[in-house]
């Protein structure tokens, strides 16, 4: 444990007074979360602005690791497969993968789920990547879970919460920020 001296991420005015590039800082924050998830398999699950300090324009520091999430290789592979199935508009593959994760069961209303997923896919498919909001998409996913009594694994709920929180913070630093563009460049 060590004392972290820096500017709270929420103090945008102070960062601007110091002449720091807040857009660059937002990108560092998102890249750090992606690195935690995809390279290390665990992540800070409560990345709100009070838990992140900006040391300088090129460095941030997380504090308060009371809530962390763990994503194992199998889960990452399944999430990648779901993403690829979404890109291919393969609804049946998505449903199969959701069953593999035990998110939905065989007694789920698969016809309704298929129709709702198809609608969601067509709604978001042609939206330019820089206009997509991960928060909006995840809210739709959570609505699906309520409607179809789907049980997301706890680590995916934590991941969704962390991504929504950090996306909101990044947009405060950079109003033109897009987590999907940042994710695409990270990948």
């Amino acid at each position: 444990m060590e004392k972290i001296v820096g500017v709270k991420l929420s103090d945008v005015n102070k960062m601007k007074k110091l002449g720091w590039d807040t857009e660059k800082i937002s990108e560092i924050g998102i890249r750090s979360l992606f690195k935690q998830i995809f390279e290390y398999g665990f992540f800070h699950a409560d990345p709100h602005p009070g838990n992140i300090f900006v040391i300088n324009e090129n460095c941030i520091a997380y504090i308060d690791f009371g809530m962390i999430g763990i994503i194992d290789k199998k889960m990452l592979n399944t999430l990648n497969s779901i993403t690829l199935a979404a890109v291919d508009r393969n609804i049946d593959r998505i449903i199969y993968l959701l069953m593999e994760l035990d998110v939905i069961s065989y007694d789920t209303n698969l016809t309704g789920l298929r129709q709702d997923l198809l609608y969601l896919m067509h709604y978001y498919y042609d939206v330019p990547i820089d206009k997509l909001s991960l928060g909006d998409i995840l809210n739709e996913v959570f609505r699906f879970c309520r409607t179809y009594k789907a049980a997301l694994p706890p680590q995916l709920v934590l991941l969704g919460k962390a991504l929504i929180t950090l996306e909101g913070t990044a947009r405060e630093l950079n109003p033109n920020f897009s987590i999907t563009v940042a994710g695409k460049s990270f990948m």
Side-chain angles (χ1 to χ4, degrees), residues 7-23 25 54 57 171-175:
V7 177
K8 279 194 176 187
L9 194 60
S10 58
D11 198 346
V12 178
N13 290 332
K14 186 169 185 179
M15 286 184 270
K16 287 184 178 180
K17 282 181 188 173
L18 292 167
W20 293 351
D21 182 350
T22 56
E23 289 183 21
I25 293 166
V54 181
E57 189 176 44
R171 284 186 195 264
E172 287 178 29
L173 297 171
N174 174 8

Side-chain angles (χ1 to χ4, degrees), residues 167-186:
E167 179 183 45
T169 302
R171 284 186 195 264
E172 287 178 29
L173 297 171
N174 174 8
N176 298 318
F177 176 79
S178 168
I179 197 166
T180 49
V181 171
K184 185 177 179 182
S185 70
F186 180 84

Side-chain angles (χ1 to χ4, degrees), residues 43 70-72 75 78-79 82 97-98 100-104 141-142 145 150-161:
F43 58 94
I70 298 170
I71 301 291
D72 62 23
M75 180 67 72
T78 303
L79 291 175
I82 289 172
L97 292 165
L98 292 175
E100 286 287 305
L101 283 176
D102 290 328
V103 170
I104 59 173
V141 168
F142 294 142
C145 290
L152 284 178
Q155 296 305 326
L156 287 185
V157 174
L158 281 177
L159 178 59
K161 177 191 168 299

